[in-house]
Amino acid sequence: GCPLPSLRRPAPRLRPRVNHGRPRAPSGLSEAGIAVTWPSIAARAGRGGPGRPVRPCPRGFRRGRGDGGRTRPEEEEEDEAELEELLGPSPLAVGPGAQRVAVVHPAVKWGPKKPQLTRAELQIAEAVALIDTLQNWTVLEKIIIPTKNPDKKFIFGKGNFQALTEKIKKLPHVTAVFLNVERISSLTKKELEDAWGVKVFDRYTVVLHIFRCNARTKEAKLQIALAEIPLLRSNLKNDVSRLDQQRGGSRYIMGSGETFMETQNRILKEKELKIRNALEKLRRKRSLLRTQRRKREFPIISVMGYTNCGKTTLIKALTGEAGLQPRDQLFATLDITAHAGYLPSHMAVIYVDTIGFLTDLPHNLVESFSATLEEVAYSDLIVHVRDITHPETILQKATVLSVLKNLNLPSYLLDSMVEVHNKVDLIERYKPTEENALAISALHGHGLEELKEEIEKKILTATGKKILTVNINLEGPQLSWLYKEATVQEVEVMPEDGTARVKVIIGNSAFGRYRNLFPNSKIFMP
């Protein structure tokens, strides 16, 4: 995806071919951080081959066209310079070097914190999968240690902690420990590192590092920088506390009237404000482009699910887009991407590939990516993809639904959601137990036609569009009006009487206008 809109006018809408089974889709759809691709169509329109992004731009963002609210080259240069400063090297970056990791999972065997929908073996397996996602990181050992309260300072009881320490120190060549808890304080982290003699990472740090490695657009990088702020604050507090203990109290900075703590907090607050402002600028540009996309009335389908459930593979199967290369790893998709496809009626739609979810994904990470997830609220339909072969598929479903509810999405989006059970080729004679769930294999194409039909049914309901056939007089203005205001699917010309049967997809408001303008036109409902 492109980080910012390119500075060009949108390409004109291309008229669908008459008597062609599949209409040409218009180019001219893009958003900040989103490249919309029309497979095979782009080549016919003379704009590159399959999978190449088509990146037009909103009016008013062309260089040298005066002001009136438009972006000037000098302002763009200032914005770019500020972005580069905000996206500089992070003090929290783990670094590109290799790590040989011992994965330690605190298994809560009793009490209110005991997990209900999973077990320790599956939880540590996901932790190992997170480490395997990172290049040059290797898991040397998997250790499950029971604990009653994972929130206490050293996570484990005294005896278990001592036994764990001895085990870690005996591991040859280990360079880090991944403690499979959501987040540990910087003070606990330092004491554990002192006790074990190696680096210690929690889920927040590891997931943030995966995000950092996979981020491609400036928007994603800004959201990662925003997610780092709480960690930097926490580290600062503990660093200052240790310094005060060493030197006997706070010191003011050379006549400034500010303590070191106050100065650093102010710098962090200013940085956070700049990041939020930069994200807001990108959000406004995306909102403008979203408005243009709405005018073209392309239905938007957000494909969501737990990380590595097969979202990208499904979108590739639905669109036939050769340029999509799904990867078998967690968080392979971090930046939102959009891809054009067709439903059985030949209606053009846009499938949006979104970031995957994860159990115990830290709240600050979800919050920092709210600008990206905001796109989901503007969808016409959500397709929830589940890896039905995964032993924790029920927990994964609960995780996804929990995040979606926290996004404050419109209730009709949650109520109309299509649930897809993917990878059924790995289970013999699989039948969904959940009502209205569809069984598919995105990899082998099983069940895709039924899924497309279900999507089309839901899209027609959500958008108020109708598929109908009208009889028109070729000498009148009806055909050109329909091309302008609706999506013409087929035109069957009857030369003997100068008329034609036209199959169209048309919205409610446009249909009402058509009936008012052409009251004598014959209309055939399917």
Side-chain angles (χ1 to χ4, degrees):
C2 54
L4 293 171
S6 57
L7 306 177
R8 301 199 304 270
R9 287 182 182 275
R13 178 170 176 171
L14 301 177
R15 178 176 290 185
R17 287 179 176 173
V18 176
N19 289 327
H20 196 282
R22 205 172 78 161
R24 283 193 192 183
S27 58
L29 298 172
S30 175
E31 318 202 357
I34 299 182
V36 181
T37 53
W38 295 91
S40 77
I41 297 168
R44 293 209 306 269
R47 295 178 61 82
R52 296 244 344 240
V54 179
R55 298 186 181 94
C57 267
R59 291 181 187 274
F61 283 86
R62 191 178 180 87
R63 290 185 189 272
R65 293 190 59 84
D67 34 28
R70 296 167 183 169
T71 304
R72 300 174 183 175
E74 314 89 68
E75 292 172 346
E76 289 169 18
E77 287 172 11
E78 287 176 14
D79 288 348
E80 287 293 323
E82 187 172 279
L83 279 175
E84 290 302 322
E85 180 188 343
L86 293 173
L87 298 176
S90 166
L92 296 175
V94 175
Q99 295 286 353
R100 294 177 293 278
V101 185
V103 178
V104 177
H105 176 70
V108 182
K109 300 285 188 181
W110 56 90
K113 292 195 175 285
K114 181 183 177 183
Q116 301 299 315
L117 297 174
T118 186
R119 58 183 192 273
E121 291 76 16
L122 296 174
Q123 289 177 293
I124 200 169
E126 183 173 86
V128 169
L130 285 169
I131 297 299
D132 288 341
T133 297
L134 292 164
Q135 191 174 11
N136 299 324
W137 286 44
T138 310
V139 175
L140 293 185
E141 187 75 20
K142 297 180 288 184
I143 306 168
I144 297 174
I145 300 284
T147 182
K148 184 176 182 180
N149 183 10
D151 295 330
K152 61 186 178 183
K153 186 175 180 182
F154 287 108
I155 315 296
F156 307 99
K158 188 174 180 181
N160 281 340
F161 180 76
Q162 187 175 350
L164 176 61
T165 301
E166 291 172 1
K167 188 163 188 175
I168 290 170
K169 287 191 171 182
K170 287 178 183 176
L171 289 173
H173 314 302
V174 69
T175 61
V177 170
F178 173 26
L179 200 55
N180 192 31
V181 296
E182 182 180 319
R183 190 167 161 188
I184 54 175
S185 71
S186 55
L187 186 61
T188 297
K189 174 179 161 68
K190 181 164 190 322
E191 296 205 18
L192 291 176
E193 287 179 342
D194 290 344
W196 296 338
V198 294
K199 293 179 180 178
V200 176
F201 304 118
D202 53 20
R203 282 174 78 90
Y204 196 106
T205 314
V206 169
V207 172
L208 197 59
H209 185 49
I210 294 170
F211 280 13
R212 200 180 288 114
C213 293
N214 286 353
R216 297 292 176 264
T217 65
K218 286 179 182 174
E219 183 171 30
K221 291 173 183 176
L222 281 169
Q223 290 174 126
I224 290 164
L226 185 62
E228 288 180 342
I229 297 291
L231 279 181
L232 290 170
R233 261 194 201 107
S234 175
N235 290 352
L236 172 65
K237 186 177 178 181
N238 287 298
D239 288 345
V240 169
S241 176
R242 285 199 302 274
L243 285 172
D244 285 348
Q245 288 174 8
Q246 292 169 11
R247 65 191 180 192
S250 299
R251 296 289 183 271
Y252 288 91
I253 296 178
M254 301 290 292
S256 67
E258 282 187 323
T259 64
F260 175 76
M261 178 77 165
E262 289 168 342
T263 303
Q264 295 304 309
N265 265 326
R266 176 173 52 79
I267 291 170
L268 276 178
K269 193 170 183 179
E270 288 170 358
K271 181 178 181 179
E272 181 179 5
L273 186 61
K274 285 180 180 179
I275 292 171
R276 291 190 184 278
N277 286 340
L279 283 169
E280 178 60 21
K281 284 181 183 177
L282 292 176
R283 191 195 67 78
R284 285 199 299 268
K285 287 180 180 179
R286 190 169 56 217
S287 177
L288 175 62
L289 286 155
R290 187 190 297 125
T291 302
Q292 290 196 334
R293 188 177 67 188
R294 281 283 174 197
K295 286 179 182 176
R296 293 184 175 95
E297 293 190 334
F298 289 103
I300 312 299
I301 301 156
S302 286
V303 181
M304 312 195 75
Y306 205 83
T307 184
N308 209 30
C309 67
K311 299 184 300 296
T312 305
T313 304
L314 176 58
I315 291 174
K316 182 174 183 176
L318 290 171
T319 62
E321 187 176 330
L324 269 174
Q325 296 299 327
R327 287 177 287 163
D328 184 16
Q329 66 179 61
L330 305 184
F331 299 114
T333 300
L334 192 59
D335 301 301
I336 277 187
T337 57
H339 313 270
Y342 295 94
L343 296 179
S345 65
H346 309 309
M347 186 196 307
V349 295
I350 296 173
Y351 293 99
V352 175
D353 197 358
T354 60
I355 182 174
F357 299 124
L358 186 73
T359 305
D360 296 330
L361 191 64
H363 173 73
N364 287 322
L365 274 177
V366 176
E367 185 183 13
S368 67
F369 275 79
S370 60
T372 297
L373 293 172
E374 177 190 58
E375 279 303 306
V376 181
Y378 295 93
S379 306
D380 296 295
L381 183 67
I382 295 173
V383 174
H384 174 201
V385 185
R386 290 174 58 188
D387 175 0
I388 207 64
T389 67
H390 198 283
E392 291 185 293
T393 184
I394 295 174
L395 174 63
Q396 292 182 354
K397 175 181 178 177
T399 299
V400 172
L401 294 182
S402 173
V403 175
L404 289 177
K405 284 173 184 172
N406 289 335
L407 291 176
N408 297 318
L409 299 176
S411 57
Y412 70 85
L413 267 181
L414 295 175
D415 295 339
S416 65
M417 187 161 46
V418 176
E419 183 173 314
V420 172
H421 293 184
N422 191 22
K423 307 186 185 182
V424 296
D425 53 297
L426 301 177
I427 304 177
E428 192 174 350
R429 296 178 182 176
Y430 176 78
K431 287 188 178 179
T433 54
E434 285 93 339
E435 190 179 356
N436 299 325
L438 297 173
I440 70 156
S441 168
L443 190 62
H444 297 288
H446 172 75
L448 291 188
E449 292 309 312
E450 293 87 345
L451 174 58
K452 286 180 181 179
E453 288 171 5
E454 181 66 16
I455 289 173
E456 181 167 275
K457 186 172 72 175
K458 293 282 180 77
I459 284 294
L460 290 172
T461 302
T463 60
K465 291 179 181 289
K466 296 178 175 65
I467 300 174
L468 49 88
T469 303
V470 295
N471 252 22
I472 65 162
N473 187 334
L474 288 173
E475 293 181 356
Q478 288 135 297
L479 186 58
S480 60
W481 191 95
L482 288 169
Y483 270 122
K484 183 180 178 183
E485 300 292 337
T487 303
V488 176
Q489 301 294 293
E490 295 173 7
V491 178
E492 182 187 348
V493 177
M494 290 169 281
E496 61 275 6
D497 56 1
T499 62
R501 281 177 175 259
V502 184
K503 184 180 178 184
V504 295
I505 300 172
I506 189 167
N508 277 333
S509 59
F511 182 56
R513 293 197 303 274
Y514 180 82
R515 298 195 78 157
N516 289 333
L517 286 169
F518 312 106
N520 297 324
S521 178
K522 290 183 180 179
I523 299 167
F524 303 92
M525 296 289 190

